[in-house]
Amino acid sequence: MFRCITMLLALLSSCPAFAEDQADVFPKMVVEYPLPGATQTHELVSPAGADHMIVISQISDSSVIKVTRDEDGKPSAASRHVIESQGAGLHGLRASEAYPGRVWATLQFNDELLLLDPRSDDVNAAPLIVQRIAVPQPAFGPHVIVEYGDELWVTLKESSYVLRINHRNPTDYTLFPAERKPIFVARSESGMVYASQDQSSMIMRINPKSGEVRQLPIPSEKGSTPVGLITGPDGNVWFVLAGSSAGGTGTFGRIKDDQFQWFHLTTHLGKTAGLLHLAFGEVGNGLPRLHLLSSSIIDPSMINGVFSVSLARNYDKVLQQESIVFPTQYSALHRILVLGQNLFVTELSASALAYVPLPPNRYQQAPEDTDQYSIFGLGIDADRIQYVDP
């Protein structure tokens, strides 16, 4: 009897009425929130313990923009606060782990590092300067700042140095001469520190213990202009290539055991993207998800959008690619932040904060690098579709 029932259920499930022909789909969505006007809207962070707030830097008037988020994670209000003076050049931001709720910042034109209390309980309250650290000479022009324990690592873009400084004892510091225009800096699990140098198309490797510095050239066949560079969940350093006025190559990579491992976007939109920044997230099945920011900052013809890729569990292979093109082009997308299932992106030349909701299971559409996508586009291989509000 049990065998007969099992066979009957199997037969019924093969009939059209019982077929799994319905899909739940989350539509792609980008919402752009205007910010107080500025010509250069730069970095963004969320202070530790204050997920309801985003802090954004605007260099052109040295302002902090405080953006509150509602219970659904969407921006709800924004307020501008000038830090020091309008000519101080507020640029780099980093949420501090040593001082929860506070944020490290760079004053690019005043040659200072600041620890700010953004006062995240009140959007209208001006941030407080808790600590000042002067950039040691002959370096100047602090750009990006990161924190590892008691140490800050800072790129000094215009003077071509990378700075290590103890924020508890600022007399303990080291200046490492770099090639032209160091931009980002990050430390790997092995303890090695890497800095992207966009105008020399090389990545600088620093051994903090020995002080040894090596230069790792970017192979010309892979592209040029290493920019965004971060520590990945796998403990390795990941980076992107922005390309040049001749175009982008949709290339990103990781540095593992001092060797480059290269990855390329292969979709129609992605293969010529100029990638500027990156951030890791996660999809519902636990696979690592990497969000790559494409920007028109170098070449106005390049796409402004996000390319999200699913990676294998060991991070050595791209499994799926997806593109999200932004409504406002020529906006020079600049930085990307992942907060839970939401992406936030600053638009450098458009004074805007873009919000992209990412539901846990994301899209059920065919991956953009498959034959099905080339035939149906965003079409779903199902007879019935239920649209889900993201």
Side-chain angles (χ1 to χ4, degrees):
M1 174 66 72
F2 176 77
R3 181 180 180 185
C4 293
I5 293 174
T6 302
M7 292 177 66
L8 177 61
L9 289 174
L11 180 62
L12 289 173
S13 66
S14 65
C15 297
F18 287 83
E20 295 182 1
D21 58 355
Q22 178 167 316
D24 293 334
V25 173
F26 295 98
K28 293 183 181 182
M29 187 171 79
V30 177
V31 182
E32 295 175 308
Y33 289 81
L35 298 174
T39 58
Q40 293 189 46
T41 300
H42 277 266
E43 309 230 357
L44 73 169
V45 297
S46 180
D51 289 345
H52 64 284
M53 176 168 285
I54 296 172
V55 177
I56 300 171
S57 64
Q58 291 185 324
I59 192 172
S60 51
D61 57 6
S62 197
S63 291
V64 156
I65 307 298
K66 295 168 62 174
V67 179
T68 54
R69 303 168 64 210
D70 63 20
E71 59 184 14
D72 295 323
K74 296 178 291 187
S76 57
S79 64
R80 172 163 51 198
H81 307 276
V82 174
I83 301 299
E84 198 68 356
S85 68
Q86 290 192 334
L90 181 75
H91 189 173
L93 296 176
R94 182 75 167 198
S96 175
E97 295 181 5
Y99 308 102
R102 297 181 176 177
V103 173
W104 290 106
T106 62
L107 293 183
Q108 187 163 324
F109 307 139
N110 278 20
D111 299 326
E112 279 190 303
L113 315 177
L114 303 181
L115 181 62
L116 300 177
D117 177 358
R119 304 174 70 185
S120 54
D121 57 334
D122 182 358
V123 70
N124 295 311
L128 300 176
I129 298 176
V130 178
Q131 183 181 359
R132 296 174 182 269
I133 301 175
V135 170
Q137 296 180 345
F140 59 88
H143 197 69
V144 164
I145 184 169
V146 297
E147 176 198 87
Y148 296 106
D150 289 346
E151 293 185 336
L152 301 174
W153 286 83
V154 184
T155 55
L156 297 121
K157 178 181 175 182
E158 300 305 323
S159 56
S160 294
Y161 284 97
V162 174
L163 168 66
R164 177 207 62 83
I165 192 165
N166 189 312
H167 57 78
R168 301 190 190 276
N169 175 23
T171 61
D172 173 16
Y173 70 87
T174 309
L175 280 171
F176 298 93
E179 297 295 330
R180 289 180 302 159
K181 307 294 186 183
I183 304 295
F184 284 83
V185 62
R187 189 175 72 182
S188 70
E189 194 173 58
S190 68
M192 297 299 104
V193 174
Y194 297 88
S196 56
Q197 302 160 121
D198 66 350
Q199 289 196 7
S200 61
S201 216
M202 290 193 285
I203 291 179
M204 179 182 184
R205 173 194 178 272
I206 302 170
N207 185 328
K209 291 184 178 180
S210 67
E212 177 198 17
V213 173
R214 290 175 52 194
Q215 294 292 345
L216 309 176
I218 301 298
S220 58
E221 68 273 15
K222 299 297 181 182
S224 62
T225 318
V227 195
L229 180 143
I230 62 171
T231 305
D234 61 342
N236 296 303
V237 167
W238 292 73
F239 63 95
V240 296
L241 300 183
S244 67
S245 58
T249 58
T251 301
F252 60 104
R254 70 169 171 172
I255 305 172
K256 184 178 182 181
D257 300 324
D258 269 351
Q259 301 294 317
F260 290 135
Q261 181 180 4
W262 297 102
F263 303 87
H264 301 275
L265 297 173
T266 58
T267 63
H268 178 69
L269 292 177
K271 61 186 178 183
T272 57
L275 304 178
L276 191 74
H277 198 217
L278 67 168
F280 275 92
E282 191 174 277
V283 289
N285 57 6
L287 292 174
R289 188 77 158 174
L290 180 58
H291 305 287
L292 304 159
L293 190 66
S294 176
S295 176
S296 61
I297 192 170
I298 290 180
D299 180 355
S301 69
M302 292 183 187
I303 289 174
N304 283 287
V306 172
F307 292 91
S308 293
V309 298
S310 296
L311 300 169
R313 293 185 190 278
N314 60 359
Y315 296 85
D316 66 347
K317 183 180 180 181
V318 172
L319 302 180
Q320 182 174 334
Q321 303 173 50
E322 172 193 348
S323 63
I324 306 172
V325 178
F326 281 34
T328 302
Q329 292 295 296
Y330 306 102
S331 60
L333 299 186
H334 208 60
R335 299 288 187 265
I336 185 169
L337 174 68
V338 180
L339 290 176
Q341 297 300 323
N342 300 307
L343 295 183
F344 295 91
V345 175
T346 53
E347 302 188 24
L348 179 76
S349 60
S351 291
L353 174 67
Y355 163 71
V356 184
L358 296 175
N361 296 323
R362 203 47 187 147
Y363 301 116
Q364 299 299 321
Q365 285 95 329
E368 293 185 21
D369 50 346
T370 65
D371 289 339
Q372 181 180 320
Y373 187 89
S374 66
I375 296 172
F376 299 121
L378 290 178
I380 307 302
D381 188 14
D383 294 329
R384 292 189 298 276
I385 297 173
Q386 180 70 39
Y387 296 111
V388 181
D389 184 358

